[in-house]
């Protein structure tokens, strides 16, 4: 009889916990503002695939928020189990795969960098046992045939894995029956070379690595530091023509009081052609104001796009990665934001369109949103994110847009 009382007690605790969760959610949701897109140019259908994700802070309380053209959803409004699964922050491309291939996607990472697909198959590739306390040794590969629903799983040794503390998969592509991986490898014994960019080819039939090519070594001089990171190219599981990295080098300086600080020295862009494996390294043109805007890049096909403030507003510059040349004039001009200070600028490319979100410090219109048709080189959407249904209780709040996604 005792065990039944224990089970009953556990059940009551679960019911009360979940019940309290939903009551608290209902109370909290009443005072939270709704956000809508107010367009000054264009059609709302052109941003129906846009999803902004961030943090909403009100007093001492904070929670996640997702904003689309249809709805504003707070993390507290999600089901108990959705919150446990972290589905709120999952990229739309991954959510679609989870919906279509639930069994295959179970337990997979939520980031598109490790997944690629074509019409026939889906491939997942990541590092097994990837942390700083357990030496990396193997790639874990899983392949799903969409027609038969058959799954193939295997591991392959990472060549010279003993050299690395950490290996991060930056991009996965399916090409001609092979998986191409671009990885960022952090060396165990750092001297002047701190990390390396690798291009791996894995034969799916033979289930083995057939190429491991070091395409860039991040080497710095003494008394220098550097950061090497991938330029954002959207949240897609489709084929990427290029994978682009930025390297920033910092010099160690000393002020008049003897205090040390770092000053950015120079920057390099490293572009990897995923079809041919050709690597192009170039110094960004002076038109790119990297000190202020180092994160406002997007890659579409063989073009690199950069959002540049010009004193009147913003201009979008285009760099041809194949020709290694900057287009002579901006492809479009965007108007200046309102008088509120700019907090962050984010740019992503998808479906031959460039999506731009410029966040400002304003509660009435916390962000400007633009969509540019890259083929026509025209701005097709100009709009603002505005708050609606703000009660007195929710009047003083802060909204931080951490990221945004575009559905494929």
């Amino acid at each position: 009889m005792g065990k039944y009382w224990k089970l009953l007690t556990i059940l009551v605790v679960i019911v009360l916990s979940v019940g309290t969760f939903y009551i608290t959610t209902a109370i909290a949701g009443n005072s939270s503002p709704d956000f809508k897109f107010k367009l000054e140019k264009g059609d709302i259908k052109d941003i129906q695939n846009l999803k902004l994700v961030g943090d909403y802070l009100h007093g001492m309380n904070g929670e996640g928020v997702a904003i689309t053209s249809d709805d504003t959803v707070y993390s507290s409004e999600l089901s108990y189990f959705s919150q446990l699964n972290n589905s709120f922050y999952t990229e739309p491309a991954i959510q679609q795969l989870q919906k279509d291939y639930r069994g295959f996607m179970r337990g997979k990472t939520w980031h598109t960098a490790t997944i690629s697909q074509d019409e026939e198959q889906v491939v997942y590739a990541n590092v097994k046992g990837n942390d700083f306390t357990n030496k990396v040794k193997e790639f874990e590969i899983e392949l799903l045939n969409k027609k038969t629903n058959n799954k193939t799983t295997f591991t392959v040794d990472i060549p010279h894995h003993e050299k690395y503390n950490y290996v991060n998969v930056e991009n996965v592509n399916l090409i001609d029956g092979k998986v191409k991986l671009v990885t960022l490898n952090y060396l165990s014994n750092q001297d002047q070379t701190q990390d390396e960019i690798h291009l791996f080819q894995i034969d799916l039939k033979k289930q083995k690595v057939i190429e491991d090519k070091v395409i860039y070594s991040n080497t710095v001089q003494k008394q220098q530091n550097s950061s090497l990171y991938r330029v954002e190219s959207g949240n897609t599981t489709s084929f990427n023509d290029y994978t682009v990295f930025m390297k920033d080098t910092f010099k160690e300086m000393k002020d008049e009081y003897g205090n040390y600080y770092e000053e950015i020295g120079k920057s390099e862009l490293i572009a990897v052609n995923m079809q041919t494996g050709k690597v192009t390294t170039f110094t960004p043109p002076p038109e790119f104001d990297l000190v202020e805007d180092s994160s406002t890049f997007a890659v579409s096909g063989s073009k690199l796009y950069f959002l540049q403030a010009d004193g009147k507003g913003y201009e979008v510059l285009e760099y041809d990665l194949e020709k290694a040349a900057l287009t002579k004039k901006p492809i479009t001009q965007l108007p200046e934001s309102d008088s509120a200070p700019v907090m962050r600028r984010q740019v992503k490319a998808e479906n031959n369109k460039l999506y731009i979100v410029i966040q400002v410090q304003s509660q009435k219109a916390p962000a400007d949103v633009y969509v540019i048709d890259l083929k026509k080189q025209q701005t097709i959407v100009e709009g603002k994110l505005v708050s609606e249904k703000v009660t007195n209780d929710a009047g003083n709040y802060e909204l931080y847009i951490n990221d945004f996604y575009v559905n494929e």
Side-chain angles (χ1 to χ4, degrees):
M1 187 66 181
K3 67 177 182 179
Y4 294 109
W5 278 109
K6 290 180 181 179
L7 289 173
L8 183 60
T9 303
I10 293 172
L11 181 61
V12 170
V13 170
I14 292 174
V15 170
L16 289 175
S17 298
V18 175
T20 303
F21 169 82
Y22 281 109
I23 292 171
T24 304
T25 295
I27 295 172
N30 291 333
S31 62
S32 301
D34 288 336
F35 294 95
K36 303 291 183 182
F37 293 106
K38 182 180 179 181
L39 300 190
E40 299 163 1
K41 176 181 179 180
D43 196 312
I44 195 70
K45 67 180 176 61
D46 289 315
I47 57 170
Q48 284 179 334
N49 57 349
L50 189 65
K51 177 183 177 181
L52 277 57
V53 179
D55 293 313
Y56 169 79
L57 303 178
H58 181 217
M60 299 297 292
N61 300 316
E63 61 177 311
V65 60
I67 303 165
T68 66
S69 60
D70 297 324
D71 203 2
T72 300
V73 179
Y74 291 87
S75 57
S76 61
E77 297 173 336
L78 296 179
S79 71
Y80 183 75
F81 298 104
S82 293
Q83 290 197 34
L84 288 178
N85 294 332
N86 201 32
S87 61
F88 184 74
Y89 300 98
T90 303
E91 299 170 54
I94 298 297
Q95 286 182 330
Q96 188 61 49
L97 285 172
Q98 290 173 338
K99 180 180 178 181
D100 295 340
Y101 311 106
R102 185 177 303 275
F104 176 77
M105 292 298 296
R106 187 173 293 113
K108 301 289 189 301
T109 178
W110 50 268
H111 201 285
T112 51
T114 58
I115 293 180
S116 181
Q117 65 174 323
D118 56 24
E119 293 182 356
E120 298 179 352
Q121 50 195 355
V122 184
V123 67
Y124 167 80
N126 211 343
V127 176
K128 191 175 182 180
N130 199 4
D131 59 61
F132 282 96
T133 60
N134 183 17
K135 292 287 187 179
V136 297
K137 293 183 179 180
E138 298 174 318
F139 287 123
E140 181 179 24
I141 312 294
E142 291 193 24
L143 186 70
L144 176 71
N145 186 307
K146 292 182 177 180
K147 295 181 180 179
T148 65
N149 209 35
N150 291 331
K151 185 174 74 170
T152 303
T153 303
F154 62 94
T155 59
V156 293
D157 289 338
I158 298 174
H160 312 293
H161 58 80
E162 66 278 356
K163 292 170 53 179
Y164 309 111
N165 270 333
Y166 191 77
V167 176
N168 193 61
V169 175
E170 300 286 341
N171 197 7
V172 175
N173 273 299
L174 269 169
I175 305 174
D176 301 327
K178 300 178 180 64
V179 178
K180 287 190 177 181
L181 306 182
V182 178
T183 66
L184 191 54
N185 297 19
Y186 298 84
L187 288 114
S188 302
N189 299 314
Q190 295 184 1
D191 186 11
Q192 290 182 314
T193 302
Q194 298 180 343
D195 37 32
E196 300 170 338
I197 302 173
H198 285 238
L199 178 61
F200 291 94
Q201 280 199 68
I202 298 174
D203 190 301
L204 292 175
K205 289 185 178 180
K206 297 179 180 178
Q207 298 186 2
K208 62 183 294 187
V209 175
I210 58 175
E211 182 184 30
D212 173 17
K213 181 180 180 182
V214 180
I215 57 179
Y216 187 82
S217 294
N218 181 14
T219 303
V220 296
Q221 303 301 317
K222 291 183 178 180
Q223 295 184 323
Q224 285 187 348
N225 288 316
S226 71
S227 62
L228 185 62
Y229 55 93
R230 182 188 173 196
V231 173
E232 182 60 68
S233 60
N235 308 99
T236 178
T237 57
S238 302
F239 176 77
N240 296 297
D241 295 279
Y242 277 85
T243 302
V244 182
F245 290 83
M246 169 75 78
K247 175 187 174 180
D248 293 324
T249 303
F250 302 90
K251 295 180 181 179
E252 189 178 86
M253 309 292 287
K254 185 189 292 186
D255 63 20
E256 57 183 318
Y257 303 104
N259 298 316
Y260 288 94
Y261 66 97
E262 288 188 335
E263 183 179 274
I264 189 167
K266 66 175 184 177
S267 298
E268 285 183 299
L269 284 165
I270 305 101
V272 186
N273 186 311
M274 294 302 297
Q275 188 71 48
T276 65
K278 180 182 177 182
V279 180
T280 304
T281 303
F282 58 94
T283 301
E287 289 84 354
F288 287 7
D289 184 4
L290 300 178
V291 175
E292 296 294 331
D293 297 299
S294 61
S295 63
T296 51
F297 286 100
V299 180
S300 178
S302 62
K303 302 295 195 301
L304 177 69
Y305 295 93
F306 179 75
L307 181 65
Q308 173 73 52
D310 66 352
K312 301 176 182 178
Y314 303 97
E315 57 186 13
V316 179
L317 306 179
E318 179 185 82
Y319 190 92
D320 192 313
L321 295 169
E322 293 182 352
K323 297 179 180 178
L326 183 71
T327 301
K328 291 184 179 180
K329 64 177 183 178
I331 68 168
T332 192
Q333 180 78 33
L334 302 179
E336 187 175 10
S337 181
D338 61 22
S339 58
V342 172
M343 294 172 61
R344 190 179 184 190
R345 305 164 191 167
Q346 299 181 67
V347 181
K348 292 188 180 180
E350 189 64 59
N351 304 321
N352 291 312
K353 292 182 176 66
L354 198 67
Y355 296 81
I356 299 171
V357 176
I358 302 174
Q359 186 176 8
V360 295
Q361 290 179 342
S362 171
Q363 290 188 6
K364 292 183 179 179
D368 296 330
V369 179
Y370 303 95
V371 180
I372 298 167
D373 188 312
L374 294 175
K375 288 186 175 180
K376 297 178 180 178
Q377 297 195 349
Q378 294 177 352
T379 303
I380 60 175
V381 172
E382 289 183 15
K384 292 183 180 295
L385 181 70
V386 298
S387 56
E388 293 186 350
K389 300 180 182 177
V390 180
T391 66
N392 291 332
D393 291 338
N396 296 314
Y397 66 84
E398 294 178 80
L399 175 68
Y400 295 96
I401 301 171
N402 301 325
D403 203 352
F404 72 88
Y405 306 135
V406 181
N407 282 328
E408 295 185 68

